[in-house]
Amino acid sequence: MKVSVHAVNFAVDAKLVGFIQERMDKLEKYYDKVVSSDVYLKVENTSDKENKIVEIKMNVLGDDFVVKKQCKSFEEAVEVSAESLERMLVKRKEKIRAHI
């Protein structure tokens, strides 16, 4: 799957990009018709510790899924977002199977 990582107003290190790519690739086992994903990383300027925002836009054949999560670290936010996408992909796969 093609994964594009976009860091807003900061530079992202290769280790984080690798982690995101690896986690997004795991989603393909739930639904194999995933075309691409755009991952947006943002840091909110607040005194709150949970200021890391991850927004994932996933393009699936015939549909788009968008998940936005805010956590203490980007890794945690990517993990939580990926879990939400897993549920969405499984639901979509079941829905399509029901129509066949």
Side-chain angles (χ1 to χ4, degrees), residues 2-89:
K2 183 176 166 278
V3 178
S4 303
V5 179
H6 310 277
V8 180
N9 297 332
F10 71 97
V12 64
D13 67 331
K15 193 172 147 188
L16 182 59
V17 172
F19 173 80
I20 292 168
Q21 179 72 51
E22 190 178 303
R23 189 63 183 99
M24 297 307 288
D25 286 343
K26 286 182 185 175
L27 292 175
E28 285 188 295
K29 70 181 176 189
Y30 295 99
Y31 189 66
D32 58 352
K33 298 196 174 30
V34 177
V35 179
S36 65
S37 297
D38 290 313
V39 181
Y40 296 91
L41 307 173
K42 300 172 192 162
V43 179
E44 199 173 72
N45 291 333
T46 62
S47 58
D48 194 18
K49 287 196 186 339
E50 291 194 2
N51 65 344
K52 311 288 190 299
I53 300 171
V54 171
E55 187 174 344
I56 301 175
K57 293 179 181 169
M58 182 176 276
N59 303 324
V60 182
L61 277 178
D63 211 352
D64 285 346
F65 296 127
V66 179
V67 174
K68 187 174 183 178
K69 300 290 179 188
Q70 187 167 343
C71 295
K72 290 178 185 168
S73 71
F74 285 121
E75 288 83 1
E76 183 185 358
V78 167
E79 195 63 42
V80 173
S81 299
E83 287 168 7
S84 292
L85 286 167
E86 278 174 21
R87 288 191 295 277
M88 288 179 183
L89 292 172

